[in-house]
């Protein structure tokens, strides 16, 4: 059982491609066939698998969330840290903080168009802890 | 491979903090480093990781779902068990019935603000089966 | 660690019950107690656990997504492959491409009403690769 923690600085709301960092961790684990579990230790950032070729996909995804889980909704009671606080929690729950990938031939067996992205939901950049476990 | 089933009584729609029950199962497993998989054997309750300090977060989350996946929507065909039947299925699919957590130092390595919650989506209290597997 | 790839032809947008195929893979693995991880190697199809008895549930689920993540939304920039292209990515992210199930007594320990469905989000039928890993 291999486990390590990555520390990733985000640049505010949006997606960050962490596919390479995950593949490198899997390579260090020496596992040929198994599972790679990725976990973000926060409640206002999440992990998604997303189309990795056209940046417009992540743009449109962000637009959808901005519309469906709006910042500063007057119905939110929880707004201690600002108008993006509560939406960040809802977005994280809808997109998840855990992700499990199959490992084949020593690598995460992603489809050709699949990338692993850390999705920051706060407007300000944050330092995020991501735990990678390979079994 | 450690596995056990927890039986949890819910008190109707809302979230129930099961973090302690999960941590206790992991302790019983004797696993130091690995993965903890949690699974609810139903289609109208789910498992979420959520901010664990301010109850307003779960209140606002519930408000969001009540608005976006409304009870008694006349467009639902499936309403055998009442107006909360179909929304409970949709909410469960959006928030998931499975959750996998990293285990480090004999405990689920949750972030400081992360709690594990069983999310009941039916209005009436139910007895829910939750399977915990630790590897 | 057991791993195999299933190739599944979808018939366009909608859900396909793959519970039997998953249970058969678990049986071939010979695992009595453990975890079964299912993964779709695409970004416009996903995996859900859903009520397996009344087809109206999947009908109402599809109606919900058709309304909340509409095809041909003029706000989408990414529409290379047609009006169902971007919605398929958003739907897949909301419902997930990975699913982990507990294995007990040599079978996925599903609840009585839980089925595993491959959810095709494109209008045209596609050939989808699903990787099953049992540990």
């Amino acid at each position: 059982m291999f486990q390590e923690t990555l520390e990733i600085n985000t640049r505010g709301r949006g997606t960050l491609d962490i596919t390479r960092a995950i593949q490198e961790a899997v390579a260090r684990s020496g596992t040929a066939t198994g599972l790679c579990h990725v976990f973000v230790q926060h409640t206002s950032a999440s992990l998604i698998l997303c189309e990795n070729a056209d940046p417009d996909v992540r743009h449109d995804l962000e637009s959808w969330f901005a519309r469906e889980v709006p910042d500063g909704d007057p119905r939110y009671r929880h707004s201690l840290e600002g108008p993006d606080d509560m939406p960040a929690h809802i977005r994280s729950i809808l997109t998840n903080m855990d992700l499990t990938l199959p490992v084949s031939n020593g690598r995460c067996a992603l489809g050709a168009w699949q990338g692993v992205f850390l999705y920051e939901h706060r407007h300000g950049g944050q330092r995020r802890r991501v735990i990678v476990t390979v079994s």
Side-chain angles (χ1 to χ4, degrees), chain A:
Chain A
M1 195 68 72
F2 169 93
Q3 191 170 71
E4 63 182 38
T5 301
L6 310 175
E7 306 253 353
I8 299 170
N9 292 313
T10 65
R11 300 173 303 246
R13 184 170 284 178
T15 52
L16 207 58
D17 192 334
I18 61 168
T19 311
R20 182 179 297 190
I22 303 301
Q23 292 289 23
E24 287 172 354
V26 171
R28 282 192 291 277
S29 78
T31 300
T33 306
L35 293 174
C36 172
H37 176 257
V38 192
F39 184 74
V40 58
Q41 273 192 319
H42 307 271
T43 59
S44 51
S46 59
L47 296 161
I48 58 167
L49 276 173
C50 191
E51 203 266 3
N52 60 8
D54 180 3
D56 280 350
V57 173
R58 274 101 70 200
H59 171 274
D60 290 349
L61 177 69
E62 174 52 38
S63 301
W64 188 87
F65 277 110
R67 213 155 58 228
E68 298 297 326
V69 193
D71 282 358
D73 191 318
R75 287 169 294 202
Y76 298 142
R77 288 185 188 170
H78 177 83
S79 54
L80 274 79
E81 299 184 29
D84 60 335
D85 185 356
M86 190 59 218
H89 294 310
I90 299 175
R91 285 156 162 257
S92 297
I93 286 168
L94 291 172
T95 51
N96 305 317
M97 288 145 266
D98 67 322
L99 175 66
T100 308
L101 305 167
V103 174
S104 303
N105 303 312
R107 290 174 61 79
C108 291
L110 298 172
W113 309 107
Q114 286 180 319
V116 182
F117 295 85
L118 176 62
Y119 200 167
E120 174 62 66
H121 299 293
R122 301 300 310 272
H123 285 298
Q126 309 282 334
R127 187 160 182 81
R128 300 301 195 179
R129 290 171 60 88
V130 174
I131 301 180
V132 181
T133 307
V134 186
S135 69

